[in-house]
Amino acid sequence: MPRRAANSKLALRATWMATQALGLVSPRLSGRPASILWFTPWRFPQREGSRARETEWLRGSKPFKVAGLQGFVAGNGPVILLVHGWGGWASRLGAFVRPLVETGHQVVGVDLPAHGSSSGRRTNPFEMADALLKVAGSVGPVHALISHSFGGLVSLLAMERGLKPGSAVYLAPALRADHVRGRFAEVFRLRPQVMDALVRVIDAHFGSQVWEELDARRIAYRLASCDPDVPVVIAHDPEDREAPFSEA
């Protein structure tokens, strides 16, 4: 196991144990370690088969770097951006590269802040959206973007902040904050009192209006009213257990 991934696993367990202990003794104080869990895309070792598959997908691509972000670029033509989800990395969407290159497109994928090979340990959707804007600014007009899971919300935030793709594809989008919080509590087995403490920490950092700012429906309605002609494709498995089909 690579040292970075091993350290990440140990740090995750230590932070989770601290959150659980404080949740029992003093739930009010558990919000701080819970926020570390919340803002950290934990890096875990990749299976050999998965690594080999992604390497094959990116065969012929070139490294791409901008603003501390690591990624790849392949092909020539109108630009397609690949936007991975929380805890993911760009090459996980690599199956799209060859078909798009063969149809005359340039495909750009980057590991967003604190993800994959890019720098940073913790991040948030606003920082990720700003990073996506920097990527778009460095590659020129964006013909289309393809996002997966939490990358859908990141893409919407980036579009609200000025990104103007010609079209957008959302794969199993994870967009609703209440569903994300519920899934987070389920994965880490956090009591309601701990989640309340976490929300207070997030509110203190970003302001209580943060949940409205992250409301994907509000963003989508505003974007649609400004530019109703942007084509959108949404693909979602009705049986998806990670991101509810209702979000699509």
Side-chain angles (χ1 to χ4, degrees):
M1 180 186 298
R3 177 172 305 212
R4 188 177 189 182
N7 290 341
S8 178
K9 192 171 183 179
L10 288 172
L12 169 62
R13 182 166 181 80
T15 306
W16 176 77
M17 290 177 67
T19 304
Q20 293 286 48
L22 283 173
L24 293 172
V25 177
S26 178
R28 182 178 60 84
L29 298 178
S30 65
R32 187 62 58 186
S35 71
I36 296 176
L37 295 175
W38 179 267
F39 289 117
T40 303
W42 300 96
R43 305 172 195 254
F44 297 109
Q46 193 178 8
R47 294 180 178 177
E48 284 297 327
S50 175
R51 185 182 299 111
R53 182 171 62 250
E54 292 176 17
T55 298
E56 179 60 29
W57 285 341
L58 300 188
R59 189 180 300 279
S61 66
K62 299 177 181 178
F64 178 85
K65 299 179 181 180
V66 61
L69 305 174
Q70 306 282 337
F72 61 84
V73 58
N76 294 286
V79 174
I80 310 290
L81 288 185
L82 302 181
V83 188
H84 64 77
W86 186 263
W89 51 87
S91 60
R92 292 189 71 178
L93 296 173
F96 289 99
V97 173
R98 185 174 299 169
L100 290 170
V101 168
E102 290 177 350
T103 53
H105 296 89
Q106 182 179 73
V107 183
V108 178
V110 296
D111 298 338
L112 293 171
H115 286 76
S117 299
S118 292
S119 60
R121 295 180 59 190
R122 298 178 193 133
T123 190
N124 61 71
F126 303 111
E127 182 180 58
M128 294 169 73
D130 287 341
L132 189 59
L133 281 171
K134 291 177 182 177
V135 174
S138 70
V139 298
V142 176
H143 178 67
L145 63 82
I146 300 174
S147 65
H148 173 242
S149 190
F150 191 75
L153 177 58
V154 171
S155 299
L156 282 172
L157 285 170
M159 291 168 68
E160 186 174 43
R161 295 179 175 209
L163 177 62
K164 298 185 181 298
S167 58
V169 177
Y170 295 90
L171 306 175
L175 303 173
R176 290 183 56 180
D178 55 342
H179 287 166
V180 173
R181 289 199 302 269
R183 181 61 178 157
F184 178 79
E186 178 184 349
V187 168
F188 288 104
R189 302 200 300 274
L190 300 180
R191 301 165 63 209
Q193 297 92 327
V194 175
M195 292 303 299
D196 290 343
L198 169 63
V199 169
R200 287 194 293 270
V201 170
I202 295 173
D203 288 352
H205 186 77
F206 291 103
S208 59
Q209 78 287 345
V210 65
W211 306 108
E212 181 180 355
E213 293 176 5
L214 293 174
D215 185 340
R217 290 166 296 185
R218 176 192 63 81
I219 300 172
Y221 280 127
R222 196 187 74 78
L223 291 174
S225 65
C226 295
D227 193 354
D229 298 323
V230 176
V232 173
V233 172
I234 301 173
H236 206 132
D237 182 352
E239 303 301 321
D240 193 327
R241 297 179 61 186
E242 299 293 327
F245 180 68
S246 60
E247 299 201 18

mmCIF file of all heavy atoms in Angstrom, residues 13 45 71 76 90 116 136-137 141 185 192 221:
data_model
loop_
_atom_site.group_PDB
_atom_site.id
_atom_site.type_symbol
_atom_site.label_atom_id
_atom_site.label_comp_id
_atom_site.label_asym_id
_atom_site.label_seq_id
_atom_site.Cartn_x
_atom_site.Cartn_y
_atom_site.Cartn_z
ATOM 1 N N ARG A 13 -9.213 6.911 10.426
ATOM 2 C CA ARG A 13 -9.653 6.157 11.599
ATOM 3 C C ARG A 13 -9.483 6.970 12.871
ATOM 4 O O ARG A 13 -10.379 7.002 13.731
ATOM 5 C CB ARG A 13 -8.876 4.842 11.716
ATOM 6 C CG ARG A 13 -9.334 3.990 12.893
ATOM 7 C CD ARG A 13 -8.822 2.573 12.829
ATOM 8 N NE ARG A 13 -9.299 1.791 13.963
ATOM 9 C CZ ARG A 13 -10.503 1.254 14.046
ATOM 10 N NH1 ARG A 13 -11.365 1.405 13.053
ATOM 11 N NH2 ARG A 13 -10.880 0.559 15.103
ATOM 12 N N PRO A 45 -5.945 3.370 -1.476
ATOM 13 C CA PRO A 45 -5.199 2.687 -2.545
ATOM 14 C C PRO A 45 -6.124 2.196 -3.643
ATOM 15 O O PRO A 45 -7.255 1.771 -3.382
ATOM 16 C CB PRO A 45 -4.519 1.527 -1.811
ATOM 17 C CG PRO A 45 -5.328 1.318 -0.570
ATOM 18 C CD PRO A 45 -5.825 2.667 -0.176
ATOM 19 N N GLY A 71 -3.514 16.684 -14.242
ATOM 20 C CA GLY A 71 -4.503 16.023 -15.063
ATOM 21 C C GLY A 71 -3.937 15.556 -16.371
ATOM 22 O O GLY A 71 -2.745 15.299 -16.490
ATOM 23 N N ASN A 76 -7.518 16.724 -30.258
ATOM 24 C CA ASN A 76 -7.605 18.104 -30.733
ATOM 25 C C ASN A 76 -9.034 18.386 -31.173
ATOM 26 O O ASN A 76 -9.740 17.481 -31.619
ATOM 27 C CB ASN A 76 -6.659 18.328 -31.919
ATOM 28 C CG ASN A 76 -5.199 18.196 -31.534
ATOM 29 O OD1 ASN A 76 -4.634 19.068 -30.885
ATOM 30 N ND2 ASN A 76 -4.582 17.081 -31.935
ATOM 31 N N ALA A 90 -9.738 12.311 -12.051
ATOM 32 C CA ALA A 90 -10.135 12.508 -13.446
ATOM 33 C C ALA A 90 -10.114 11.231 -14.265
ATOM 34 O O ALA A 90 -11.005 10.992 -15.094
ATOM 35 C CB ALA A 90 -9.234 13.563 -14.097
ATOM 36 N N GLY A 116 -6.941 13.017 -5.984
ATOM 37 C CA GLY A 116 -6.013 12.378 -6.897
ATOM 38 C C GLY A 116 -4.580 12.815 -6.687
ATOM 39 O O GLY A 116 -4.050 12.772 -5.572
ATOM 40 N N ALA A 136 -10.910 25.807 -17.122
ATOM 41 C CA ALA A 136 -11.625 26.257 -18.317
ATOM 42 C C ALA A 136 -10.958 27.478 -18.926
ATOM 43 O O ALA A 136 -10.843 27.598 -20.159
ATOM 44 C CB ALA A 136 -13.081 26.561 -17.962
ATOM 45 N N GLY A 137 -10.492 28.383 -18.071
ATOM 46 C CA GLY A 137 -9.846 29.586 -18.575
ATOM 47 C C GLY A 137 -8.538 29.307 -19.287
ATOM 48 O O GLY A 137 -8.123 30.079 -20.156
ATOM 49 N N PRO A 141 -12.579 28.122 -24.957
ATOM 50 C CA PRO A 141 -14.017 27.835 -24.908
ATOM 51 C C PRO A 141 -14.283 26.358 -24.617
ATOM 52 O O PRO A 141 -13.617 25.477 -25.161
ATOM 53 C CB PRO A 141 -14.504 28.221 -26.310
ATOM 54 C CG PRO A 141 -13.488 29.178 -26.818
ATOM 55 C CD PRO A 141 -12.175 28.751 -26.229
ATOM 56 N N ALA A 185 -23.660 10.908 7.382
ATOM 57 C CA ALA A 185 -23.957 10.388 8.722
ATOM 58 C C ALA A 185 -24.043 8.870 8.718
ATOM 59 O O ALA A 185 -23.599 8.204 9.657
ATOM 60 C CB ALA A 185 -25.264 10.991 9.235
ATOM 61 N N PRO A 192 -27.242 12.166 15.494
ATOM 62 C CA PRO A 192 -27.835 13.452 15.095
ATOM 63 C C PRO A 192 -27.194 14.645 15.801
ATOM 64 O O PRO A 192 -27.035 15.714 15.198
ATOM 65 C CB PRO A 192 -29.307 13.290 15.487
ATOM 66 C CG PRO A 192 -29.550 11.818 15.428
ATOM 67 C CD PRO A 192 -28.273 11.182 15.893
ATOM 68 N N TYR A 221 -32.378 26.741 -11.796
ATOM 69 C CA TYR A 221 -33.448 27.638 -12.250
ATOM 70 C C TYR A 221 -32.885 28.974 -12.721
ATOM 71 O O TYR A 221 -33.312 29.529 -13.731
ATOM 72 C CB TYR A 221 -34.461 27.867 -11.123
ATOM 73 C CG TYR A 221 -35.452 26.753 -10.955
ATOM 74 C CD1 TYR A 221 -35.644 26.149 -9.717
ATOM 75 C CD2 TYR A 221 -36.211 26.285 -12.032
ATOM 76 C CE1 TYR A 221 -36.552 25.114 -9.548
ATOM 77 C CE2 TYR A 221 -37.123 25.258 -11.881
ATOM 78 C CZ TYR A 221 -37.285 24.680 -10.633
ATOM 79 O OH TYR A 221 -38.182 23.656 -10.467
#
